[in-house]
């Protein structure tokens, strides 16, 4: 029992709690906020795992941009209200059962089949070494240049698409 | 010293919760958010493995996933807005025109 | 067809095939062109064909005599060659066969000429002039077949001719197949023809069995080879062969028990009776035994049976002849009786005597039959002259008779052959009378006519070797003279017993001239084999073929006894029939004294009735039973219709159609469709349009796959 483990467990509890909170919350805004908390927790995890860049990216993009977008739309659509009665009565029980089964399977696999890969060392100074970051950048722009460029085009397409979707509607009217 | 298995179990749990969210909730936005949760859990697992195997591949992969997730959210939310305009509701049970 | 010469051709041997082909040519010409010829032309062609065969016979006989009796074998064509079996159509020219050839073609030609005149009147009485040509076609066919029979070099060729003459007998007896002898529509003539053919067939069956045994035991059909092999073969086979041949002889030569066809064969026209059933065909059996002399002399037991058969037949038939009223029937039974004499003779081993009697009998029996035909024609003419009111010397013209048969326009049926209607014809038909007289004296065996010499030789041989046969034959000779005398008194003497007899007219020369030739032969025929030293011509002639001939000198004792018997018989017949001539309607004088015996004689001892009761009727009943009950009712109706067809229908309709097809297969096929519908109806409900349920399915799939991976 060392500090890393305790830290991990605390954060894990938080992450799961927020996730469940997002799941069960009746208010969509509350769900969104829970999710933000979850994302931040995950970002801390990244830091623990020695991936500072990703941690920052997570906070910036996920928690900062995506969730904000979500909150915009939630506000726009006034989606707090919940409509009528249940149409698929068997959906919820079956889903819960399946969820548990999934967990059980995953646990079984991990416990019986997993080979010990190793332990995560807490990030030392080497993690914040600008050399590692430089290596990451090099790897990104050399080995994975093509996906990088394609991703930029993807983002462009997404932008254009979002605008087209909105605009066309208006033009028709 | 944390075993990687713990990270993986955590990832699995988060994934399951996300899956449950997709299945159980009727609100389209909540469903979307659950999807993001699932993506996130996958990212966590990948970074964990990357850390153990001392390779940058995991982080780079997550980088791209985040970028794609962002794009996807943008377009998806635009779609939901459009659907709301025609159906006046974001209850996915209402969107069953493709009934067999 | 190759002409292969067996020996160096001497003399006229190469003409041998014309024996057969001349009559065949005649028959073909008459067959193809007969309808266009005049009657004279048809008769001329046929008689020339038969005459050509006679001339060839004469030439062949001269060749044989020039060769000192050596046999010539002339092969005309190869027939069957299988393995070791080799059968050819070869002509055998030796003294025995030339003798037969001469008799057949000589008497045959005379009868052809007679038949021209006879058939001219007969087709007009029966009202079918177009049938004239057919008669001569059949007659020529007969001559051809008989020639094949007598000239054959093997038992097989003999049998071919044997069958051929049987066929011609059938065709000729049934010449007027739709009528009976009196010209009325009836089955009678065709039944008589059938009877002849079937009875002959039974005889042929015997001949065939003999042939089979012969081939199996002795290895050949050819005469020389058979006789040579017979010397070393086991006697049992020879006995079998000879006795089965006897059956054939009994059929063809009308011996007991197969003689029954010959009296019925009188249904044919008179020339047929004369040629076939007196002179030639019926003698084929005698010829067969004579030819097989070497076989018969090996087995005395069989000889005895043959002799006894002949003797008993001779006596039996003679007794029947006494009670007959039809002029031709008397002669028919007389023929059977005389054939019995011949068969007895050859059975005893007196082959020369048998052949001698064959020749003389051909002469005088043909004469008698043809004269009887003349009598019948005279009676018919008288009957028609009477009906149409013509006077006696108006010759019967052609075409004056329009109606067929005698019954319709005259109110009652008139039988021109019934002796009870005749009487006193001596005055109205004198030529016929004298001819008939000559024939009668020859038949009765009165010196110096031909019959005396030949019959006497038989009796002499019998007295020396077979006393029982001698006794039977002597009694038969007595009866022979008696019934012939009876016939003479009844037909030609006394008063006319019917108007037709009173108006009977003599026949034309074309009928009487051939008879005169025959009469001359009947008188002089004895010269062929006079039983004195230095003569015996026929004996010497046949010795070339038969090798062993017993030439007997005249025994005055035997000759005397037979002459006395004959004269006594004639005297007795005069006493009964001639002294007080019968009047119209009076029953036969013998009926009273002999009573039951005479009834038996009248009715031919009920032999035919016996055959019907024991053989023919049961056979008919059996075949009716087999046909109606077994074949039709059982097989057809029950078995085929009910069992087989019914079962088949049941199987296809009920079993297969209803159960297998409808219940089984249809339900299965329909069921498949139903199941598919049900499945798809169920499967359709997965598509409910809700995204969440689709997502659930996805998760379910993931779980299942993971589970499979775990469990694997």
């Amino acid at each position: 029992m060392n500090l890393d483990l305790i830290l991990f467990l605390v954060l894990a509890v938080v992450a799961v709690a927020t996730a469940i909170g997002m799941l069960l919350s009746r208010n969509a805004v509350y769900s969104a906020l829970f999710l933000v908390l979850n994302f931040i927790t995950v970002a801390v995890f990244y830091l623990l795992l020695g991936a500072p860049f990703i941690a920052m990216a997570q906070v910036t993009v996920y928690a900062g941009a995506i969730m904000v977008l979500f909150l915009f739309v939630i506000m726009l659509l006034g989606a707090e209200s919940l409509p009528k009665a249940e149409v698929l009565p068997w959906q919820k029980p079956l889903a819960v059962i399946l969820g548990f089964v999934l967990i059980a399977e995953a646990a079984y696999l991990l416990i019986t089949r997993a080979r010990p890969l190793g332990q995560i060392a807490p990030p030392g100074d080497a993690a914040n070494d600008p050399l590692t970051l430089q290596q990451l950048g090099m790897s990104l722009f050399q080995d994975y240049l093509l996906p990088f460029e394609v991703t930029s085009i993807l983002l462009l397409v997404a932008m254009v698409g979002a605008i087209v979707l909105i605009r066309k509607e208006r033009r028709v009217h | 010293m944390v075993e990687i298995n713990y990270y993986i179990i955590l990832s699995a749990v988060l994934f399951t919760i996300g899956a449950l969210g997709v299945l159980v909730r009727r609100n389209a936005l909540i469903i979307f958010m659950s999807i993001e949760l699932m993506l996130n859990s996958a990212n966590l697992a990948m970074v964990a493995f990357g850390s153990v195997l001392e390779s940058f591949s995991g982080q780079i992969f997550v980088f791209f996933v985040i970028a794609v997730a962002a794009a996807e959210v943008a377009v998806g939310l635009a779609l939901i807005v459009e659907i709301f305009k025609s159906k006046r509701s974001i209850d996915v049970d209402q969107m069953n025109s493709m009934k067999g | 067809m190759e002409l292969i010469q067996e020996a160096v051709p001497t003399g006229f041997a190469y003409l041998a095939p014309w024996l057969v082909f001349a009559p065949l040519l005649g028959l073909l010409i008459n067959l193809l062109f007969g309808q266009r010829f005049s009657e004279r032309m048809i008769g001329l062609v046929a008689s020339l064909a038969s005459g050509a065969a006679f001339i060839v016979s004469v030439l062949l006989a001269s060749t044989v005599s020039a060769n000192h009796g050596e046999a010539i074998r002339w092969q005309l064509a190869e027939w069957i060659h299988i393995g070791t079996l080799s059968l050819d159509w070869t002509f055998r020219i030796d003294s025995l066969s030339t003798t037969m050839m001469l008799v057949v073609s000589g008497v045959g030609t005379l009868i052809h000429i007679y038949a021209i005149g006879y058939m001219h009147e007969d087709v007009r009485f029966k009202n079918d002039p177009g049938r004239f040509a057919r008669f001569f076609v059949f007659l020529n066919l007969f001559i051809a077949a008989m020639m094949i029979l007598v000239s054959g070099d093997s038992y097989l060729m003999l049998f071919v001719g044997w069958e051929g003459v049987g066929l011609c007998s059938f065709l000729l007896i049934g010449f007027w197949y739709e009528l009976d002898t009196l010209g009325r529509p009836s089955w009678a003539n065709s039944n008589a023809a059938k009877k002849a053919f079937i009875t002959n067939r039974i005889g042929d069956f015997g001949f065939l069995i003999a042939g089979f045994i012969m081939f199996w035991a002795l290895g050949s059909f050819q005469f020389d080879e058979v006789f040579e092999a017979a010397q070393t073969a086991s006697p049992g086979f020879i006995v079998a062969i000879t006795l089965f041949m006897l059956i054939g002889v009994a059929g063809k030569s009308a011996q007991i028990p197969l003689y029954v066809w010959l009296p019925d064969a009188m249904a044919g026209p008179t020339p047929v009776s004369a040629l076939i059933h007196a002179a030639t065909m019926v003698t084929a059996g005698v010829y067969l035994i004579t030819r097989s002399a070497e076989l018969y002399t090996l087995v005395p037991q069989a000889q005895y049976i043959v002799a006894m058969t002949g003797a008993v037949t001779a006596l039996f038939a003679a007794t029947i002849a006494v009670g007959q009223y039809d002029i031709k029937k008397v002669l028919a039974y007389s023929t059977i009786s005389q054939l019995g004499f011949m068969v007895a003779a050859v059975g005893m081993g007196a082959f020369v005597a048998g052949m001698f009697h064959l020749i003389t009998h051909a002469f005088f029996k043909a004469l008698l039959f043809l004269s009887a035909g003349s009598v019948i024609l005279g009676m018919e003419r008288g009957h028609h002259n009477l009906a149409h009111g013509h006077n006696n010397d108006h010759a019967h013209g052609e075409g004056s008779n329009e109606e067929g048969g005698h019954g319709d326009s005259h109110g009652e049926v008139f039988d021109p052959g019934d002796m009870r209607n005749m009487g006193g014809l001596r005055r109205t038909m004198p030529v016929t009378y004298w001819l008939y007289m000559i024939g009668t004296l020859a038949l009765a065996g009165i010196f110096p006519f031909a019959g005396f010499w030949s019959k006497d030789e038989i009796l002499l041989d019998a007295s020396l070797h077979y006393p029982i046969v001698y006794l039977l034959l002597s009694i038969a000779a007595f009866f022979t003279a008696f019934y012939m005398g009876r016939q003479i008194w009844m037909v030609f003497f006394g008063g006319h017993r019917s108007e037709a007899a009173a108006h009977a007219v003599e026949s034309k020369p074309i009928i009487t001239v051939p008879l005169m030739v025959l009469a001359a032969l009947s008188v002089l025929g004895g010269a062929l084999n006079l039983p004195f030293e230095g003569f015996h011509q026929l004996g010497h002639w046949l010795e070339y073929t038969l090798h062993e001939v017993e030439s007997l000198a005249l025994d005055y004792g035997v000759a005397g006894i037979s002459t006395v018997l004959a004269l006594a018989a004639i005297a007795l017949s005069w006493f009964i029939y001639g002294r007080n001539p019968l009047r119209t309607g009076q029953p036969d004088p013998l009926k009273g004294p002999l009573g039951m015996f005479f009834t038996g004689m009248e009715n031919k001892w009920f032999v035919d009735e016996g055959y019907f009761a024991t053989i023919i009727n049961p056979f008919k009943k059996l075949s009716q039973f087999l046909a109606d009950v077994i074949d039709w009712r059982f097989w057809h109706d029950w078995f085929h219709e009910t069992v087989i067809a019914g079962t088949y229908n049941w199987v296809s309709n009920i079993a297969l159609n209803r159960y297998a097809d409808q219940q089984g297969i249809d339900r299965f096929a329909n069921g498949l469709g139903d199941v598919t519908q049900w499945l798809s109806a169920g499967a359709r409900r997965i598509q409910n349009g809700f995204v969440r349920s689709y997502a659930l399915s996805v998760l379910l799939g993931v779980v299942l796959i993971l589970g499979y991976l775990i469990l694997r």
Side-chain angles (χ1 to χ4, degrees), chain C residues 144-152 157-158 161-162 165 252 284 287:
Chain C
M146 193 72 195
M147 283 301 165
I148 296 178
L149 195 157
V150 300
S151 68
M157 287 314 295
L158 197 151
W162 188 275
V165 296
K252 194 65 83 182
Y287 167 72

Side-chain angles (χ1 to χ4, degrees), chain A residues 86-88 90-92 94-96 98-99 101-102 104-106 108-109 112-113, chain C residues 688 690-696 699-700 702-704 706-712:
Chain A
E86 196 61 51
V87 186
L88 299 170
W90 36 264
Q91 179 83 354
K92 216 187 258 187
L94 202 57
V96 170
L98 277 177
V101 171
L102 196 58
E105 283 177 350
Y108 175 77
L109 275 171
T112 57
R113 304 277 184 90
Chain C
N688 52 10
F690 296 119
V691 179
R692 290 199 291 153
S693 66
Y694 297 159
L696 186 64
L699 185 61
L700 181 64
V702 170
V703 166
L704 287 175
L706 267 181
Y708 169 69
L709 285 173
I710 289 174
L711 293 171
R712 184 157 68 93

